[in-house]
Amino acid sequence: MITMIIPKGYSPGVMSGTHRTQTQPLKPLFCLFIVFISLSARSQYLENPSFEGEPAPNFPPPGWVICGIYSTPDILPGVWGVYLPPSDGVTYLGMTARPDYTNEDVQAHLITPLSMDSCYRIRIDLAYQQWVNSTNMSPVILKIYGSNLYCNKSNLIWESNPVSNTEWETQEFLIKPDPYDYEYLLLETSWVSTPPYWGYVLMDNIRIETTPHVDLGNDTTIISCGNDSLVLNAGSGFAAYLWQDGSTDSTFVVYSTGLYWVQVSNEIGCTDTDSIYVTFDEYVEMISELPDTAAICEGEVLEITVNVSNGRPPYSYLWDETSDTTASIIVSPDTLTTYHVGITDGCGNTIYDSITVVVMPPPDIWLGNDTTICHGETLMLHAGPGHLGYSWQDGSQDSTYLVTQPGLYWCEILSTNYCTARDSINVNMYPPINLDIGNG
């Protein structure tokens, strides 16, 4: 038994051959709307260029409307047994042409109209698959119209060859809107020949971009090593090039300071121009900014960074003692050590510099051996004179500390060379002696 769903506005009397069968449950809508919102933001021309929506038969995706009374496009995959993965996003569109001379279409209002003053490159991914259990379907043609009126098909701007590829293939074409700005884009199926027949076409991922577009890059400065030059590349794929001196190659070699521009043209006569200002500066000898000496306390680490001015970037580095090739190294020597670096610039010139790292010994501090004192006695701890700072376990900052209770005591000192050291002592206390000689 075949279950047939009658498309909106379609007469069942002429629907012979393959019938549309749909029994799959629909998926929840909310997850598809999230995808649609995120993808639609990518295009400045179409609200929904990738036909995102909830898979369903006989219904256009959000952002698209139908024009023909027999137009019932399908949001795929999963409808009529078509499960080809999308070329972009989550869903795509399928449209039918029928043997009764009816076909399907969809139209979108352009967010930004396509201007008569510009050229555009339009890309669309197309594929072909039959419905499940259908053997009498054939490839059809996709036609695209541009118009300034709602659902107007008087201005055909492109039509494909019969779409027979069963995997996605990108079709592209150039247009220059004429005789008006295009406010609508309309897609329609059509037959390869008459008499008409059952056909189907899949479409996804419409991309619209202005063309041509040339970019020579940002203004730039070159530090000259001698007979230097800069090659400006306007890019490939244009029909014609015109530089400021009248030359017509895709590249232009620059030897001196000045403003340079290029105009490119495509095969339908649209042009684009870009310019760049190039400055050639004379070479100035490199200068290395590295101090002669640095001091660390024993056990500490030091980051050494060499700064270079003048010369010509980029710079490369080689530290003799560490074999490091970066501008910064981290060291922790035990004794006085000198580190040497060679710096080579973009012109191949090399300078050398060095830094000596002095290792400062820690200051001496000794609070004495662990000890025990009698109950009621005190003990004066001495951290040593002449240091910049003292810090005891309770936060006091004198050079001495009076112990009156048992416990662990420590002090950290800061020497005149800004190195620190710490020592601790454990002080125990004998319990009091209870003496009772009785009555006399």
Side-chain angles (χ1 to χ4, degrees):
M1 178 180 178
I2 296 178
T3 302
M4 183 171 68
I5 294 180
I6 307 300
K8 299 182 297 296
Y10 187 77
S11 172
V14 295
M15 191 173 180
S16 60
T18 301
H19 303 285
R20 295 194 172 197
T21 304
Q22 173 64 26
T23 59
Q24 298 93 336
L26 296 180
K27 299 177 183 178
L29 285 171
F30 69 91
C31 62
L32 271 299
F33 285 136
I34 293 174
V35 174
F36 163 63
I37 291 171
S38 64
L39 291 176
S40 66
R42 301 179 310 174
S43 172
Q44 70 182 66
Y45 294 104
L46 293 172
E47 177 184 347
N48 185 7
S50 195
F51 306 104
E52 301 303 312
E54 173 66 20
N58 311 331
F59 201 78
W64 296 84
V65 298
I66 57 176
C67 291
I69 61 173
Y70 302 119
S71 183
T72 56
D74 310 309
I75 306 175
L76 306 164
V79 176
W80 315 126
V82 178
Y83 289 97
L84 178 70
S87 71
D88 182 74
V90 178
T91 58
Y92 52 93
L93 191 67
M95 293 200 306
T96 305
R98 309 182 189 95
D100 66 340
Y101 290 92
T102 62
N103 54 357
E104 296 183 341
D105 59 33
V106 288
Q107 176 185 267
H109 186 268
L110 291 159
I111 298 173
T112 301
L114 305 186
S115 170
M116 293 176 58
D117 297 328
S118 300
C119 289
Y120 302 87
R121 185 183 305 276
I122 301 180
R123 295 182 177 91
I124 184 171
D125 297 337
L126 302 177
Y128 167 72
Q129 283 198 358
Q130 294 188 352
W131 301 339
V132 67
N133 300 326
S134 173
T135 58
N136 65 339
M137 302 191 83
S138 300
V140 292
I141 292 171
L142 178 68
K143 293 183 177 182
I144 299 181
Y145 301 86
S147 178
N148 62 346
L149 299 175
Y150 186 84
C151 287
N152 184 284
K153 299 180 182 179
S154 63
N155 189 34
L156 178 67
I157 61 176
W158 179 77
E159 68 176 49
S160 71
N161 292 320
V163 181
S164 59
N165 46 284
T166 56
E167 299 293 334
W168 293 108
E169 291 184 4
T170 297
Q171 306 287 330
E172 69 173 57
F173 56 96
L174 298 177
I175 63 166
K176 189 176 189 304
D178 183 68
Y180 38 67
D181 295 347
Y182 297 160
E183 298 182 29
Y184 299 93
L185 204 65
L186 190 150
L187 284 60
E188 178 188 49
T189 57
S190 184
W191 306 269
V192 178
S193 60
T194 54
Y197 54 86
W198 276 106
Y200 205 54
V201 63
L202 311 178
M203 59 204 74
D204 199 2
N205 194 21
I206 298 178
R207 290 90 80 195
I208 304 175
E209 62 182 20
T210 57
T211 185
H213 176 69
V214 61
D215 184 5
L216 296 178
N218 296 326
D219 295 346
T220 186
T221 297
I222 297 174
I223 298 175
S224 178
C225 301
N227 296 323
D228 287 292
S229 62
L230 174 66
V231 178
L232 301 179
N233 192 336
S236 60
F238 301 115
Y241 304 82
L242 178 65
W243 294 88
Q244 74 290 325
D245 68 343
S247 59
T248 57
D249 293 331
S250 62
T251 60
F252 187 85
V253 183
V254 174
Y255 297 97
S256 60
T257 297
L259 178 67
Y260 300 87
W261 58 262
V262 64
Q263 182 185 79
V264 298
S265 304
N266 62 18
E267 53 267 44
I268 59 176
C270 285
T271 63
D272 190 35
T273 302
D274 192 34
S275 63
I276 182 173
Y277 195 88
V278 180
T279 303
F280 283 86
D281 283 347
E282 292 186 4
Y283 183 88
V284 179
E285 293 292 332
M286 280 185 290
I287 298 175
S288 171
E289 300 174 8
L290 190 65
D292 294 332
T293 60
I296 63 171
C297 299
E298 185 177 298
E300 290 183 342
V301 298
L302 174 67
E303 182 177 7
I304 302 173
T305 300
V306 56
N307 296 309
V308 183
S309 57
N310 301 335
R312 175 172 167 173
Y315 309 106
S316 60
Y317 309 86
L318 179 60
W319 296 86
D320 291 346
E321 286 69 31
T322 65
S323 298
D324 203 296
T325 57
T326 60
S328 297
I329 60 173
I330 296 177
V331 299
S332 182
D334 297 326
T335 61
L336 182 77
T337 305
T338 300
Y339 296 89
H340 302 81
V341 62
I343 308 154
T344 302
D345 70 0
C347 288
N349 297 322
T350 302
I351 61 173
Y352 299 91
D353 206 347
S354 64
I355 181 174
T356 298
V357 179
V358 179
V359 181
M360 309 296 293
D364 291 329
I365 179 174
W366 186 58
L367 298 180
N369 296 323
D370 293 346
T371 188
T372 302
I373 62 175
C374 293
H375 180 74
E377 289 184 342
T378 62
L379 176 65
M380 183 65 74
L381 301 178
H382 296 269
H387 301 301
L388 290 180
Y390 303 84
S391 179
W392 294 89
Q393 76 287 332
D394 65 350
S396 59
Q397 299 178 348
D398 293 330
S399 63
T400 60
Y401 189 89
L402 183 64
V403 176
T404 59
Q405 298 292 329
L408 178 66
Y409 297 86
W410 57 263
C411 183
E412 182 174 275
I413 60 173
L414 177 66
S415 69
T416 54
N417 59 13
Y418 294 95
C419 294
T420 61
R422 176 186 289 201
D423 192 30
S424 64
I425 181 174
N426 193 29
V427 178
N428 293 311
M429 185 172 289
Y430 291 115
I433 299 175
N434 294 321
L435 181 62
D436 185 1
I437 60 175
N439 296 324

